[in-house]
């Protein structure tokens, strides 16, 4: 296969007819020589913040001199973004080669692997053959039956903020969802938890007690903000100072989880000097998380797609843009809780521009517009994302701002309008 053929093969893998479980990815990896057994991992699950946490941890480990793999999903602009080593995406030729090799045993399997299982196996093979010291591994969906949970003993498991998302698959209460996410906690392997509700914490504590895993809970009361602007933020955590380019109170909390995870890694023998932790956090890049991409007018891109994300965006709009005109460029997926998301965001908007994300699961822009019109504010429907960007900028005017929000499946195309790839 060449690169285009590899992408077509990945895209053509059927999801339907598969049963939940780890049997397929286990069989596929065994046929490839079990490359995951030659690697060490930080394993991250959660509803919100797991991507930011993964990016921060990978940046810290790279700063400390470790050859660090990063596995995330979904991608924003290029499929290659999902697999990185030391901040560099897998190259086209390497991706084509690795997919070709993985496809051989996959095609022989009676129960064909899903797209995510296929890519998990490909990533494991690539990281192992590249000689990664450690891989920061983000779950795709859930935890217990997520393909990434094929690994045996991570150096540390991290559970981020738990909210209601993918409820048809994971359960319709945060406690049920937490139990699924807690499935990544392995016997005797330490766990770091994002500080959250007592009911969720109890689920994680119980799992740690069952598996004999030491639990560390980040202490958000130990975060003291020193500086917070559109240029970035400075804060202290337990007395030590840190700076991050990512915006919002939630990113300070995510960073606190990362700091706790580095402490656990130190206790397990990883050399992570304080200056490398500070440098790694300062150097992190994680696009489309309340990301400014232009200043005339200010244009913010955020991939928030559930009510918890919407609440964060609403708080950021009030904090960073308290007085100016605010236009929301919105597109959503039909299977998300876009009604709750809209109810949270509507009070912070002066006007809406609606587009249809690039996904077969997308809600048509006109249907979203019908909902948004009930809030009594101007709504414009655009036929393309590029047209939506132009319309939103015009609506904001030179003294206003635009915030694109609602789905990660449109932010790549939006960022491309500003020559950001």
């Amino acid at each position: 296969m060449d690169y285009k053929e590899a992408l077509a093969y990945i895209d053509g893998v059927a999801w339907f007819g598969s049963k939940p479980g780890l049997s397929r990815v286990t069989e596929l990896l065994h046929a490839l020589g079990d490359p995951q057994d030659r690697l060490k991992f930080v394993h991250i699950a959660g509803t919100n913040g797991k991507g930011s946490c993964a990016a921060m941890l990978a940046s810290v480990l790279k700063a400390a001199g470790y050859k660090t793999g990063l596995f995330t999903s979904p991608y924003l602009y290029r499929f290659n973004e999902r697999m990185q080593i030391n901040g560099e995406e897998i190259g086209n030729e390497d991706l084509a080669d690795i997919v070709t090799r993985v496809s051989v045993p996959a095609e022989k399997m009676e129960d064909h692997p899903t797209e995510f299982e296929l890519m998990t196996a490909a990533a494991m093979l690539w990281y192992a053959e590249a000689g990664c010291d450690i891989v920061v591994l983000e779950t795709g969906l859930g935890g217990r039956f997520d393909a990434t949970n094929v690994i045996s003993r991570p150096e540390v498991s991290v559970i981020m903020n738990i909210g209601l998302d993918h409820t048809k698959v994971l359960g319709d209460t945060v406690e049920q969802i937490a139990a699924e996410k807690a499935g990544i906690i392995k016997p005797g392997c330490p766990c770091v938890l994002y500080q959250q509700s007592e009911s969720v914490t109890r689920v994680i504590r119980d799992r740690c007690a069952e598996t004999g895993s030491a639990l560390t809970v980040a202490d958000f009361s130990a975060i003291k903000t020193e500086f917070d602007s559109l240029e970035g933020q400075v804060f202290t955590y337990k007395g030590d100072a840190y700076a991050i380019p990512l915006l919002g109170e939630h990113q300070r909390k995510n960073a606190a989880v990362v700091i706790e995870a580095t402490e656990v890694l130190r206790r397990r023998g990883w050399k992570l000097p304080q200056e490398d932790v500070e440098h790694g956090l300062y150097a992190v890049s994680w696009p489309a998380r309340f990301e400014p991409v232009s200043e005339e007018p200010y244009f913010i891109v955020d991939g928030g797609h559930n009510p918890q994300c919407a609440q964060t965006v609403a708080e950021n709009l009030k904090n960073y843009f308290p007085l100016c005109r605010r236009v929301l460029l919105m597109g959503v997926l039909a299977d998300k809780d876009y009604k709750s998301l809209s109810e949270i965001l509507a009070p912070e908007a002066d006007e809406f521009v609606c587009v249809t994300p690039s996904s077969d699961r997308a809600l048509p822009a006109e249907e979203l517009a019908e909902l948004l019109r009930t809030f009594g504010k101007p709504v414009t429907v655009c036929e393309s994302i590029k047209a939506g960007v132009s319309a939103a900028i015009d609506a904001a005017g030179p003294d206003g701002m635009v915030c694109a929000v609602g789905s990660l499946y449109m932010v790549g195309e939006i960022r491309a309008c500003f020559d950001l790839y």
Side-chain angles (χ1 to χ4, degrees):
M1 297 183 198
D2 61 19
Y3 177 66
K4 288 184 178 179
E5 290 169 337
L7 293 183
Y9 176 77
I10 295 164
D11 189 54
V13 174
W15 283 87
F16 302 105
S18 294
K19 302 179 291 293
L22 300 175
S23 60
R24 291 175 302 277
V25 69
T26 299
E27 179 183 346
L28 179 57
L29 282 164
H30 187 66
L32 295 167
D34 289 314
Q36 78 280 6
D37 291 343
R38 308 199 300 270
L39 295 164
K40 296 184 182 297
F41 299 94
V42 174
H43 203 186
I44 305 174
T47 307
N48 297 311
K50 62 182 185 292
S52 296
C53 175
M56 289 186 203
L57 265 172
S59 185
V60 167
L61 288 161
K62 175 190 173 187
Y66 293 107
K67 191 170 189 177
T68 305
L70 175 63
F71 184 69
T72 59
S73 61
Y75 62 93
L76 301 184
Y77 192 76
R78 277 167 44 91
F79 187 91
N80 308 49
E81 297 167 24
R82 294 173 64 170
M83 299 161 59
Q84 300 180 27
I85 295 176
N86 281 356
E88 296 293 327
E89 301 170 7
I90 186 172
N92 291 356
E93 291 185 4
D94 284 345
L95 182 63
D97 173 68
I98 213 82
V99 170
T100 300
R101 292 162 60 194
V102 170
S103 71
V104 175
E107 289 303 314
K108 297 177 182 177
M109 291 171 57
E110 184 175 344
D111 189 4
H112 198 282
T114 66
E115 184 247 10
F116 189 71
E117 290 167 342
L118 191 80
M119 289 318 303
T120 298
M124 298 295 184
L125 185 60
W126 185 56
Y127 295 136
E129 293 184 347
C132 285
D133 299 309
I134 191 166
V135 175
V136 181
L137 191 65
E138 178 191 353
T139 60
L141 175 63
R144 183 165 58 112
F145 292 129
D146 189 84
T148 62
N149 207 29
V150 70
I151 67 172
S152 55
R153 291 177 58 82
E155 295 296 289
V156 58
S157 300
V158 179
I159 308 292
M160 297 301 291
N161 197 19
I162 303 294
L164 294 174
D165 204 359
H166 303 291
T167 54
K168 292 182 180 179
V169 178
L170 302 179
D172 56 8
T173 69
V174 290
E175 293 79 18
Q176 289 176 324
I177 294 172
E180 289 297 318
K181 308 286 188 184
I184 72 167
I185 301 170
K186 303 294 199 306
C189 299
C191 176
V192 174
L193 176 65
Y194 183 104
Q195 183 182 324
Q196 49 202 299
S197 71
E198 180 54 39
S199 63
V200 167
T201 302
R202 188 180 305 113
V203 171
I204 306 302
R205 286 191 188 280
D206 288 348
R207 172 64 180 174
C208 287
E210 291 169 8
T211 57
S213 303
L215 177 63
T216 301
V217 182
D219 180 8
F220 295 156
S221 69
I223 299 173
K224 307 299 180 187
T225 305
E226 304 293 335
F227 175 80
D228 183 12
S229 80
L230 289 166
E231 303 301 316
Q233 43 189 338
V234 177
F235 65 97
T236 63
Y237 183 68
K238 296 184 175 179
D240 292 318
Y242 304 91
I244 55 175
L246 307 179
L247 303 181
E249 178 186 8
H250 66 297
Q251 295 293 8
R252 298 193 294 272
K253 293 178 177 179
N254 291 340
V257 175
V258 170
I259 294 164
E260 294 291 359
T262 62
E263 286 295 324
V264 171
L265 289 170
R266 282 174 179 151
R267 292 195 291 270
R268 292 180 66 85
W270 295 85
K271 298 186 188 320
L272 294 169
Q274 181 64 16
E275 58 267 27
D276 290 336
V277 177
E278 293 170 9
H279 176 72
L281 288 173
Y282 179 74
V284 67
S285 175
W286 195 232
R289 277 69 180 180
F290 211 80
E291 175 195 19
V293 297
S294 176
E295 295 184 8
E296 296 180 358
Y298 261 107
F299 198 112
I300 302 293
V301 179
D302 192 277
H305 54 272
N306 59 38
Q308 295 77 29
C309 295
Q311 190 61 52
T312 294
V313 170
E315 291 169 359
N316 284 345
L317 288 171
K318 287 185 282 191
N319 181 35
Y320 295 112
F321 301 98
L323 301 176
C324 72
R325 176 176 176 76
R326 301 187 290 223
V327 177
L328 297 193
L329 173 60
M330 291 185 64
V332 299
L333 300 187
D335 55 4
K336 296 295 183 180
D337 186 5
Y338 60 87
K339 293 182 180 179
S340 295
L341 181 144
S342 299
E343 290 171 355
I344 292 167
L345 291 173
E348 310 311 323
D350 294 295
E351 187 168 342
F352 297 100
V353 175
C354 296
V355 295
T356 304
S358 302
S359 169
D360 56 8
R361 295 155 52 204
L363 184 76
E366 182 55 51
E367 290 188 35
L368 176 61
E370 289 179 14
L371 171 64
L372 295 178
R373 289 187 185 108
T374 64
F375 297 107
K377 298 175 180 180
V379 180
T380 301
V381 176
C382 292
E383 294 185 355
S384 70
I385 289 175
K386 185 175 181 180
V389 169
S390 296
I393 290 173
D394 289 343
D399 298 323
M401 66 84 61
V402 178
C403 180
V405 65
S407 175
L408 277 168
Y409 287 91
M410 66 178 187
V411 298
E413 193 171 342
I414 291 172
R415 294 181 81 250
C417 293
F418 297 91
D419 296 324
L420 297 170
Y421 301 98

